[in-house]
Amino acid sequence: MERAHRAAVTATFFAPGDWAETVQLTEAARHHAAVRRLDVGTVVRMTDGVGASAMGTLQRMDKRIAEVVIEDGTREHVPAPSPLTLLAPSGDRDRMLWLAEKCVELGITRWITAVWDRSNSVANRGTGEPFHQKLRARMIGALEQSGGSWLPVVAPERPAEELLLADWKGSTRLLLDAEGVGPVSIGGRDALVVALGPEGGITPAERELALHEGWTPLALSNSTLRFETAGIAAVAILRSHHMERS
């Protein structure tokens, strides 16, 4: 029975908080359902972004409210993925949003925007609370589209120097760097922190600081990659590595 329901699922909706028998969708989720022209009776999947998942049926759908009735016996908890923090550069807003979307699909667990020395010279830079609200909305959309169960924690923007000097409590720290090494050995459930430079790259002083603090420089390609390409490639490679060893 459960497999039949899963096969019939039309959409996944993000609904934060504890769920009662009937869940009212957020305005963003209601709008998503309206755009997709979902009707009452449609089977959907619910996720709270912190591991809870359930199947439900769209019970009410109008211009103001959308409600889903959770089906008995379908609630489950999806285990959290191994920790993977991305120190994403403060850069071009559209490219940051693209990076955030794809990294949610690939399963990062935390996003911190890092302000590097060269970040401040970037035109159309994504920064400030309105942008970070848009960033979170894009992440939620990616979670729903991919049918994921865990939404990354989005931490406040911080200077890159602070992040390089921070105590990451035994996490494997990787600095994406064209002059770095090839693949590194990591355990199946190791906590990972990946630092990604901005347009124009990190400065020699920033690289020197990272190496002094024990960050491992990691090269992904013989060519220079855009930051969003490098970030997506790194997360995909590291997630694949975790899957093989877990």
Side-chain angles (χ1 to χ4, degrees):
M1 187 66 172
E2 182 179 354
R3 288 184 179 178
H5 277 162
R6 287 185 182 278
V9 172
T10 302
T12 295
F13 291 112
F14 171 70
D18 296 328
W19 299 334
E21 181 181 350
T22 300
V23 179
Q24 183 172 316
L25 298 183
T26 64
E27 172 55 27
R30 188 209 64 78
H31 177 72
H32 179 198
V35 169
R36 297 192 61 172
R37 299 184 179 180
L38 301 185
D39 296 324
V40 169
T42 300
V43 177
V44 299
R45 177 178 176 273
M46 306 291 290
T47 178
D48 69 350
V50 287
S53 174
M55 307 298 292
T57 302
L58 196 59
Q59 173 183 259
R60 177 180 176 183
M61 183 68 201
D62 57 38
K63 293 182 179 180
R64 297 184 300 110
I65 295 175
E67 291 180 341
V68 173
V69 175
I70 300 296
E71 298 184 10
D72 292 339
T74 66
R75 297 175 189 250
E76 62 179 2
H77 183 79
V78 178
S82 55
L84 199 169
T85 297
L86 183 68
L87 307 186
S90 180
D92 177 83
R93 58 188 296 114
D94 291 335
R95 291 163 64 186
M96 288 180 71
L97 292 172
W98 175 258
L99 174 64
E101 178 181 304
K102 299 309 171 187
C103 285
V104 168
E105 294 176 22
L106 291 166
I108 65 168
T109 58
R110 181 163 51 165
W111 168 292
I112 305 176
T113 300
V115 183
W116 300 86
D117 284 349
R118 289 176 175 148
S119 291
N120 292 317
S121 62
V122 176
N124 198 30
R125 183 163 69 94
T127 188
E129 185 57 29
F131 173 76
H132 281 87
Q133 290 178 4
K134 187 171 185 178
L135 184 80
R136 178 173 169 79
R138 183 67 67 90
M139 287 181 169
I140 290 171
L143 186 77
E144 293 176 331
Q145 181 67 31
S146 63
S149 298
W150 285 87
L151 190 67
V153 173
V154 179
E157 180 178 286
R158 294 173 62 184
E161 182 177 354
E162 286 185 13
L163 295 167
L164 294 176
L165 293 170
D167 180 5
W168 292 101
K169 298 180 180 178
S171 297
T172 299
R173 295 166 297 159
L174 303 172
L175 174 71
L176 300 190
D177 179 23
E179 299 179 23
V181 298
V184 295
S185 178
I186 56 176
R189 296 294 295 181
D190 283 359
L192 302 174
V193 182
V194 179
L196 181 60
E199 290 102 319
I202 62 175
T203 65
E206 288 169 332
R207 185 176 190 275
E208 183 178 350
L209 175 62
L211 297 182
H212 180 268
E213 292 299 314
W215 290 74
T216 299
L218 177 63
L220 298 175
S221 171
N222 292 327
S223 59
T224 300
L225 303 178
R226 286 190 166 194
F227 77 76
E228 69 274 26
T229 304
I232 294 167
V235 173
I237 291 168
L238 294 171
R239 272 292 178 240
S240 174
H241 193 85
H242 269 173
M243 290 171 63
E244 291 173 358
R245 291 175 171 261
S246 60

